[in-house]
Amino acid sequence: VLDAEGLNSTDRSTNTDVKLFALSLLLSSFFIYNSRGHITESSIEDLSLVINLTQHIHVKKTENESGVDFHKHFPALFWVLRDFSLDLQGKTSREYFEENLRPQASVKEETLKKNAIRQTIAGFFQERDCFTLVRPVHDESKIAHIEDLQYEDLRPEFRKSCDQVVQRILSRVRVKTVNGIPLTASMFMGLALEYIQSLNDHEAPTILTALERVLLDEARRHKEKIFEDFATKIGEKIPNTQLPMEEQDLMNIIEQTKLEVSGELIRKLYDLSLIHI
């Protein structure tokens, strides 16, 4: 779980927000964005950071990134609307979300700008959903000290929605994958370090370049582990009590052990080869 601590902080610059936003998207398989109230023109504008992502993330090493392939590498988007009071009149929260992503009919510059944000969200996050939560308590005076309340003190409908949203998240969250192949812990950490290094060097992280480096490093690690296993197996098959031994017997043991460990290496390298770059 990675907490980006929200956007538009008074303690951070917009550039820092964009970098945190970019890093969160690159590393996560399920991206939860939460805001207060219903979806408005203002809340759409708050997501204007997505427009700037092409300047801060590249899929391939290129001068101009279009973002056309971002959806292949971005996580599912789950927008949680807190303190929601709007009557959806039979619509689901997902339908309400999709309705607000439709471009507005206007030629005004401000509307065109927000339509660009809508289209970018729809293009970058092709797997998306929305969930609404009512206000946790009716009494306004309790909101300021809500952390002091027991869970049972909150509105029943709020608690019910919380249980539902947790179940929905747990049912959909998954291991980070690339082209459908789950990443190992070492591969995930390798990607994180590559992305962070690029951001710290004031460069745009390049997804496929970072992935290529991680795969090469993973292949090297597999090779070293196989050599260690080979040496261990040889030691187990040739105890000191059997030495010296005939050269042919030694070669037979070595060849048999090579077949045993090479099969494992081939399998691991094949799994890596399935992650197309």
Side-chain angles (χ1 to χ4, degrees):
V1 177
L2 174 65
D3 185 357
E5 299 183 346
L7 304 175
N8 302 320
S9 169
T10 55
D11 299 325
R12 296 197 305 254
S13 66
T14 301
N15 189 50
T16 301
D17 275 346
V18 174
K19 288 182 177 180
L20 279 173
F21 195 65
L23 184 62
S24 300
L25 293 176
L26 288 170
L27 293 179
S28 63
S29 61
F30 197 81
F31 185 78
I32 302 172
Y33 178 76
N34 81 89
S35 61
R36 290 184 61 184
H38 53 280
I39 299 175
T40 64
E41 294 298 303
S42 177
S43 60
I44 290 290
E45 192 168 11
D46 285 342
L47 272 173
S48 62
L49 288 179
V50 298
I51 295 292
N52 299 322
L53 286 177
T54 54
Q55 301 170 29
H56 293 270
I57 299 175
H58 288 171
V59 174
K60 299 177 181 178
K61 206 76 174 176
T62 180
E63 286 286 327
N64 300 307
E65 175 60 62
S66 66
V68 68
D69 287 329
F70 277 3
H71 70 277
K72 298 177 182 178
H73 306 279
F74 277 11
L77 172 64
F78 191 60
W79 193 342
V80 178
L81 299 167
R82 297 176 288 112
D83 298 352
F84 191 83
S85 59
L86 195 66
D87 182 3
L88 294 182
Q89 298 180 339
K91 292 193 293 283
T92 66
S93 52
R94 169 67 187 271
E95 290 169 339
Y96 170 70
F97 184 18
E98 294 300 321
E99 186 179 272
N100 279 279
L101 283 183
R102 294 192 197 113
Q104 303 298 305
S106 175
V107 293
K108 292 182 179 179
E109 183 178 348
E110 188 67 22
T111 303
L112 293 176
K113 176 184 174 183
K114 289 172 183 175
N115 280 346
I117 299 171
R118 289 182 171 90
Q119 291 168 344
T120 302
I121 293 171
F124 287 178
F125 304 100
Q126 296 190 3
E127 183 182 349
R128 53 186 182 266
D129 201 355
C130 180
F131 198 91
T132 61
L133 292 171
V134 297
R135 202 167 179 80
V137 292
H138 287 296
D139 190 342
E140 290 290 330
S141 64
K142 293 181 179 179
I143 291 291
H145 305 286
I146 197 167
E147 68 277 5
D148 297 329
L149 298 178
Q150 297 297 315
Y151 186 61
E152 294 73 21
D153 297 330
L154 305 180
R155 292 169 62 185
E157 55 267 49
F158 176 80
R159 286 185 277 122
K160 180 181 178 181
S161 294
C162 281
D163 292 339
Q164 290 173 341
V165 76
V166 168
Q167 288 305 313
R168 187 176 296 189
I169 291 170
L170 292 179
S171 68
R172 297 185 182 184
V173 72
R174 55 186 180 271
V175 173
K176 179 68 175 178
T177 63
V178 176
N179 286 357
I181 306 298
L183 299 182
T184 64
S186 61
M187 292 167 67
F188 180 83
M189 287 302 299
L191 277 177
L193 292 173
E194 288 284 342
Y195 293 147
I196 291 170
Q197 186 63 53
S198 295
L199 291 170
N200 286 341
D201 291 341
H202 305 289
E203 298 175 354
T206 304
I207 296 172
L208 296 187
T209 299
L211 181 60
E212 181 178 14
R213 290 173 182 161
V214 167
L215 292 178
L216 289 173
D217 192 52
E218 192 73 2
R220 176 190 57 76
R221 227 182 336 262
H222 286 323
K223 183 178 177 182
E224 291 175 353
K225 181 66 168 58
I226 291 299
F227 283 157
E228 290 176 9
D229 291 346
F230 177 78
T232 300
K233 287 178 180 292
I234 289 292
E236 292 171 349
K237 292 179 179 181
I238 312 177
N240 291 333
T241 54
Q242 293 184 13
L243 295 175
M245 65 189 310
E246 294 294 329
E247 180 179 354
Q248 188 57 50
D249 291 339
L250 176 61
M251 292 305 298
N252 288 341
I253 291 174
I254 290 175
E255 288 302 317
Q256 179 187 359
T257 307
K258 281 170 61 178
L259 286 174
E260 291 174 6
V261 298
S262 63
E264 179 67 11
L265 178 60
I266 290 171
R267 185 185 67 78
K268 290 182 179 296
L269 294 180
Y270 175 74
D271 289 343
L272 292 179
S273 72
L274 295 177
I275 307 178
H276 301 298
I277 298 179

